[in-house]
Amino acid sequence: MTMMEVLERTGADILNKEAREVFEKAGCWVDGNRVRIPSALSEWAVRTAPSRVTVCDRNGKRALRVETTNAFYGPGQGNTYVIDPMTGERRKPIKADVANAGVVCDGLKNVDFAMSNGLPTDVNPNVAEVHAFEALVTNTKKPIIQSIQGIEQAQAILDIATSISGSLKEFQKNPFVVLLIETEGTLVHSDETLAKVIFAAQNGVPYIYSTKLIAGETSPATPAGAIVVALADILVGVLLGQLVRQGTPVIGGGFFTIKDNENDILPYGAPEVSLMGTGMANALRFLGIPSFGFAGATDSKDSDAQMGLEAAFSILHAGMSGTSLIHGCGQLEYGLSASLALLVMGDEVMGMTRRIIKGVEVNEERMARGVINEVQPGGHYLGEEHTLKYFRSEFWWPSVMNRSRISDWEANGAKTLGQKVKEKTQTLLTTHQPEKLSKDVLSKIKLIIDRVDAR
């Protein structure tokens, strides 16, 4: 396969000394920082890495079977600004915003996992990810994908997770946190990035090895070439994890975009984002590696038609492509701003997408030949037991989209989708009560937070 040939022929720059030693011991060719990986070793890593990563909720209940046949949705992360859900103000995120993201994720039916919608600016910036994780884990029981900036932060997050699970062994058996390890790609893997992989593998923590590429700038301009580079980068992270601890749960993926030179931005709503993401997901499915993709974001600055179009199109595309974990929903302005309202709207589209993916189930009872004969031509099916049985399960029903008659719509205030989404977001924040952690666990978490703040 082409990406394996790239690693064998061209290789990658490995800037972590321990990682180079692991690769060399396994039979890779090391010349300074450049490491060339035999294709046989890449093939071994693909066979050894689990084809399914099971992620639990905070209570240890199995929630996500992350494999090549399932698709799960969640929000984006790491935004510079947030749109205040009550006032509409665009401002820097604080810890309370991350807590709000946890509450909304917890209350939405089709959102499967939570992520931080921005790094809080009202805490110590050196440990902002730890504070973000605390805000999420205390406000949702859903699985969490958590980015990390260093080994100390990773250890603190793992300490919090094990204080909830009871021990590292129990957490490994029923993990509810997946570490997000990001590399900027183009066959260069930093010292810190690879140290995170080694940490995750040594501790048996599921991790995502994710690359970010700009077609024509940090990767070839062609979608095929960009996908090859991305897969080569991902295989480096997969191989290292398996060499450190065979069977380490790993998910591969990333984010592709292009450079809009006219506006000097990296668009999130461009069709190429979905196109290349689909190509990567398909290739990873062929390899048997669960995939991490992107959908539900927009380049729009407000709740308008462009926002709905770009977000809905990408959510549908990613789901139908079979991407395993799909993040990114709720990001405006090419990823600069987080919007809980867009996440709520995205939840509706996720439900629609799941109904489309479900397709038409065919069996003897569903084909209803006996019912058709019983009703006869010109009859109606409203009173049939068959209709009563399948009326709810076979149809999708909206929660914020409007299907009422115009007179009823006007009588209820003639509210637009944007208004209804805003109201639902605010209602979730004021009324939804996530399941709380025990006082004992909260005390342990506070001690960990106090310790990292003191450093």
Side-chain angles (χ1 to χ4, degrees):
M1 284 172 277
T2 305
M3 64 279 193
M4 294 182 182
E5 181 188 353
V6 168
L7 290 176
E8 184 175 78
R9 180 184 181 187
T10 306
D13 285 347
I14 305 299
L15 305 183
N16 179 281
K17 183 175 182 293
E18 184 178 357
R20 288 196 302 272
E21 292 172 351
V22 169
F23 284 132
E24 187 167 30
K25 185 178 179 181
C28 297
W29 303 292
V30 178
D31 182 12
N33 291 331
R34 181 64 55 86
V35 175
R36 292 168 55 223
I37 300 171
S39 293
L41 197 55
S42 295
E43 291 171 353
W44 170 84
V46 168
R47 292 193 304 270
T48 304
S51 60
R52 181 180 73 187
V53 177
T54 300
V55 186
C56 300
D57 68 13
R58 198 181 61 189
N59 295 330
K61 180 181 178 181
R62 302 205 152 199
L64 311 179
R65 291 173 56 203
V66 186
E67 53 190 336
T68 56
T69 54
N70 291 332
F72 300 102
Y73 289 100
Q77 57 94 33
N79 303 282
T80 305
Y81 301 95
V82 295
I83 306 300
D84 190 294
M86 299 300 181
T87 67
E89 176 191 3
R90 179 181 182 268
R91 54 172 175 75
K92 292 285 188 177
I94 58 176
K95 192 170 181 177
D97 293 311
V98 184
N100 284 343
V103 172
V104 171
C105 288
D106 194 78
L108 291 174
K109 178 181 178 181
N110 295 296
V111 170
D112 301 297
F113 58 87
M115 298 182 79
S116 169
N117 55 345
L119 288 179
T121 57
D122 57 341
V123 299
N124 182 344
N126 295 320
V127 290
E129 282 82 3
V130 182
H131 280 274
F133 179 68
E134 180 207 10
L136 284 179
V137 80
T138 54
N139 285 283
T140 182
K141 68 176 184 180
K142 290 186 178 180
I144 295 171
I145 296 176
Q146 180 61 52
S147 64
I148 50 175
Q149 296 302 318
I151 299 305
E152 286 190 4
Q153 288 191 14
Q155 185 62 62
I157 288 166
L158 183 57
D159 289 344
I160 293 173
T162 54
S163 72
I164 294 170
S165 297
S167 68
L168 178 59
K169 183 178 180 180
E170 288 302 312
F171 173 79
Q172 291 169 342
K173 287 162 59 178
N174 299 299
F176 62 91
V177 183
V178 180
L179 297 180
L180 175 58
I181 301 172
E182 297 177 291
T183 173
E184 288 303 316
T186 321
L187 303 175
V188 177
H189 302 261
S190 73
D191 181 18
E192 186 177 82
T193 295
L194 297 175
K196 297 173 193 175
V197 172
I198 293 170
F199 172 88
Q202 287 175 337
N203 288 281
V205 180
Y207 69 94
I208 297 166
Y209 201 67
S210 177
T211 185
K212 182 177 182 179
L213 294 174
I214 307 167
E217 189 165 301
T218 61
S219 77
T222 56
I227 291 167
V228 166
V229 171
L231 291 171
D233 275 328
I234 290 165
L235 282 178
V236 170
V238 172
L239 174 59
L240 179 58
Q242 300 313 303
L243 291 174
V244 172
R245 183 181 178 128
Q246 190 169 327
T248 293
V250 57
I251 299 162
F255 170 75
F256 300 88
T257 188
I258 59 175
K259 183 67 177 290
D260 184 329
N261 291 314
E262 182 178 346
N263 298 297
D264 195 30
I265 65 161
L266 304 177
Y268 277 37
E272 291 81 8
V273 174
S274 294
L275 176 67
M276 291 186 280
T278 295
M280 178 189 66
N282 287 335
L284 289 171
R285 184 188 304 110
F286 175 78
L287 296 172
I289 297 173
S291 56
F292 180 65
F294 186 86
T298 178
D299 299 319
S300 178
K301 296 27 169 209
D302 201 355
S303 296
D304 58 10
Q306 178 184 339
M307 181 192 82
L309 176 65
E310 290 178 337
F313 181 85
S314 62
I315 289 171
L316 175 64
H317 197 187
M320 296 189 72
S321 76
T323 306
S324 309
L325 282 180
I326 304 165
H327 81 299
C329 189
Q331 297 189 93
L332 293 170
E333 195 186 358
Y334 39 90
L336 281 182
S337 299
S339 168
L340 292 178
L342 175 53
L343 181 60
V344 170
M345 189 211 76
D347 179 77
E348 188 96 323
V349 181
M350 294 167 196
M352 296 176 72
T353 299
R354 285 200 163 108
R355 180 61 193 94
I356 294 169
I357 293 173
K358 182 180 177 183
V360 177
E361 186 176 350
V362 177
N363 56 37
E364 189 63 31
E365 187 176 9
R366 281 179 163 80
M367 286 192 291
R369 286 184 289 192
V371 181
I372 295 169
N373 185 62
E374 185 71 26
V375 171
Q376 289 290 301
H380 69 81
Y381 295 82
L382 190 59
E384 295 297 314
E385 184 179 342
H386 185 273
T387 301
L388 181 64
K389 180 177 179 179
Y390 289 108
F391 187 69
R392 288 290 177 185
S393 62
E394 293 290 293
F395 304 150
W396 174 82
W397 303 97
S399 64
V400 289
M401 292 186 183
N402 191 286
R403 290 177 174 175
S404 63
R405 296 178 182 275
I406 191 167
S407 57
D408 295 329
W409 175 67
E410 290 173 340
N412 287 309
K415 295 175 183 177
T416 64
L417 175 62
Q419 289 172 312
K420 293 187 70 176
V421 163
K422 181 179 179 181
E423 287 180 0
K424 182 174 179 179
T425 305
Q426 293 176 348
T427 298
L428 281 171
L429 290 173
T430 54
T431 64
H432 181 70
Q433 295 294 323
E435 183 180 312
K436 300 299 182 184
L437 291 166
S438 69
K439 290 183 179 180
D440 179 58
V441 169
L442 290 173
S443 296
K444 292 178 181 178
I445 293 174
K446 185 178 185 305
L447 288 175
I448 296 168
I449 295 295
D450 289 343
R451 186 177 70 238
V452 298
D453 279 339
R455 291 175 186 169

